[in-house]
């Protein structure tokens, strides 16, 4: 059962209050990580605002990408990237950032102070869905700086996911929700647009141990190897006494992940003959969601390894991803460990 907080008119728990209270459990905390989370919450509100009016901006915008104010319109994912960079670069808490939208590390500009954390993010995941009004999301991951200089370096970014100190996502759906973990459970906050605050709505989220949903893009089936085909047939209840999972695939990772986190199940983006390392990014998508799902009692793997144990070698590294209820992810591991099969030629 989903644990949902009911607020009264006079008593609410804002994300700020929640973070402060969580920080009190750590007498050694300097408040810097809390600051990173507040700044991200502000960026999320700004992006939510842009996403909400995306259709309107298109209608009101003049031709050639200019809107009615004469400003050049930007693609929303580029805009979301800029919003996050500008919300985060001056607080003195980060030493560098990396975004799915940018090829290299984003340094903290002078004269701003550098801090001890690195932020990695996907500013607007699933952005090809915006035109058809499907939920999209922002995903973020925070790691501690491990190099000595002022600025963050590639080495700081390429840390295995188990070293994350915080991770979260924002879903811009029928309501806007921010879900995060700092390693003390997973907590969800819903944006109350009337007061512009994220309010605690889903404390201590736990993913059901076995699944309800299967989220996978079946159109790649002919490109999967036989073991992947086999486990997907099992999930669909074919040639097995097992009850079939309900197939639900939005094609927007945050939306698919969020539904399965609350309802149980598995999201899979396997490697296939054309994308032999899958499609999703280890640092911006798989790692933060893996930290969250483990904190909620679930699991995440690339089919062989626990996602959080993979040591990244590149900033934009891709990975196969199986993530969700622990028993479903375990079944994938067992099935894929069967003798190797050759991929079907593309
Ligand atoms: P877009 O940002 O191009 O829409 O991609 C979304 C995404 O990265 C992730 O959110 C989805 O789960 C996945 O790709 C969908 O990919 P397929 O269209 O290949 O199923």
């Amino acid at each position: 059962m989903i644990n949902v907080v009911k607020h009264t008119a006079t008593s609410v728990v804002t994300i700020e209050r929640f973070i402060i209270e969580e920080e009190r459990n750590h007498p050694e905390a300097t408040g810097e990580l809390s600051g990173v989370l507040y700044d991200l919450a502000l960026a999320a509100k700004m992006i939510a605002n842009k996403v909400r009016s995306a259709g309107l901006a298109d209608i009101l915008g003049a031709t050639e990408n200019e809107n009615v104010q004469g400003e050049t319109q930007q693609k929303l994912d580029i805009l979301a990237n800029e919003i996050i960079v500008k919300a985060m670069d001056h607080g003195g808490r980060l030493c560098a950032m990396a975004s799915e939208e940018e090829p290299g590390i984003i340094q903290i500009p002078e004269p701003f102070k550098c801090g001890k954390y690195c932020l990695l993010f996907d500013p607007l995941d699933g952005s090809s869905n915006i035109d058809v009004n499907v939920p999209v999301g922002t995903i973020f991951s925070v790691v501690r700086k491990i190099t000595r200089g002022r600025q963050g370096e590639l080495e700081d970014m390429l840390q295995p996911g188990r070293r994350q100190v915080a991770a979260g996502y924002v879903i811009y759906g029928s309501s806007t929700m921010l879900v995060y973990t700092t390693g003390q459970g997973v907590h969800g906050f819903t944006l109350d647009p009337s007061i512009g605050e994220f309010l605690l709505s889903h404390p201590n989220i736990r993913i059901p141990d076995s699944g309800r949903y299967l989220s996978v893009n079946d159109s790649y089936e002919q490109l999967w190897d036989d073991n992947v085909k086999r486990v997907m047939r099992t999930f669909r209840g074919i040639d097995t006494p097992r009850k079939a999972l309900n197939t639900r695939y939005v094609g927007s990772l945050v939306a698919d992940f969020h539904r399965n986190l609350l309802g149980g199940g598995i999201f899979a983006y396997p490697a296939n003959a054309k994308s032999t390392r899958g499609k999703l990014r280890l640092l911006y998508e798989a790692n933060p969601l893996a930290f969250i799902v483990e904190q909620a009692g679930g699991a995440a793997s690339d089919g062989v390894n626990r996602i959080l144990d993979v040591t990244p070698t590149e900033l934009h590294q891709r990975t196969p991803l199986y993530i969700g209820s622990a028993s479903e992810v375990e079944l994938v591991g067992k099935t894929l460990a069967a003798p190797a099969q050759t991929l079907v030629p593309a």
Side-chain angles (χ1 to χ4, degrees), residues 65-83:
N65 293 340
E66 267 200 3
N67 65 15
V68 280
Q69 281 88 37
E71 298 157 341
T72 305
Q73 279 186 41
Q74 284 177 303
K75 279 182 69 193
L76 260 186
D77 38 10
I78 306 294
L79 197 62
N81 187 61
E82 219 175 288
I83 288 174

Side-chain angles (χ1 to χ4, degrees), residues 233-253:
R233 286 173 71 81
T234 308
F235 285 141
R236 284 192 242 122
I238 303 168
D239 305 331
T240 165
R242 233 186 98 115
K243 191 167 168 264
L245 296 179
N246 243 333
T247 303
R248 293 280 187 278
Y249 190 70
V250 173
S252 186
L253 176 60

Side-chain angles (χ1 to χ4, degrees), residues 32-44 81-97 108-109 112-113 115 117-119 121 140 142:
E32 281 175 80
L33 184 58
S34 301
V36 170
L37 294 171
Y38 301 148
D39 291 346
L40 281 166
L42 173 67
N81 187 61
E82 219 175 288
I83 288 174
I84 296 179
V85 170
K86 289 189 177 158
M88 307 302 300
D89 67 0
H90 58 276
R93 297 156 186 131
L94 298 180
C95 60
M97 292 178 256
I108 303 300
F112 302 136
K113 203 177 137 240
Y117 293 110
C118 304
L119 175 71
F121 61 95
F140 61 88
V142 182

Side-chain angles (χ1 to χ4, degrees), residues 77 100-101 122 124-130 135-137 139 216-220 249-257 267-269 272 275 279-281 285 318 321:
D77 38 10
E100 204 197 86
E101 289 295 331
D122 181 353
L124 208 58
D125 185 68
S127 53
S128 62
N129 286 311
I130 287 177
V136 289
I139 313 175
V216 67
N217 187 341
D218 276 336
S219 62
Y220 299 118
Y249 190 70
V250 173
S252 186
L253 176 60
V254 172
D256 281 314
F257 176 82
F267 172 94
Y269 204 112
N272 66 50
S275 312
K279 174 183 182 187
L280 303 174
R281 313 286 180 152
E285 293 168 319
R318 294 179 195 271
L321 180 62

Side-chain angles (χ1 to χ4, degrees), residues 22 26 33 37 164-167 180-185 187 291 295:
E22 252 202 337
H26 294 270
L33 184 58
L37 294 171
Q164 290 170 102
V165 292
Y180 83 90
T181 184
T182 54
Q184 299 178 77
H187 310 287
F291 188 20
Q295 281 291 313

Side-chain angles (χ1 to χ4, degrees), residues 6 22 64 86 130 136 165 176 178 194 209 230-231 257 264 269 277 287 296 339:
K6 297 248 182 313
E22 252 202 337
E64 297 302 315
K86 289 189 177 158
I130 287 177
V136 289
V165 292
T176 299
L178 191 156
S194 66
D209 187 45
R230 195 173 318 134
V231 74
F257 176 82
Y269 204 112
R277 293 181 80 177
N287 267 347

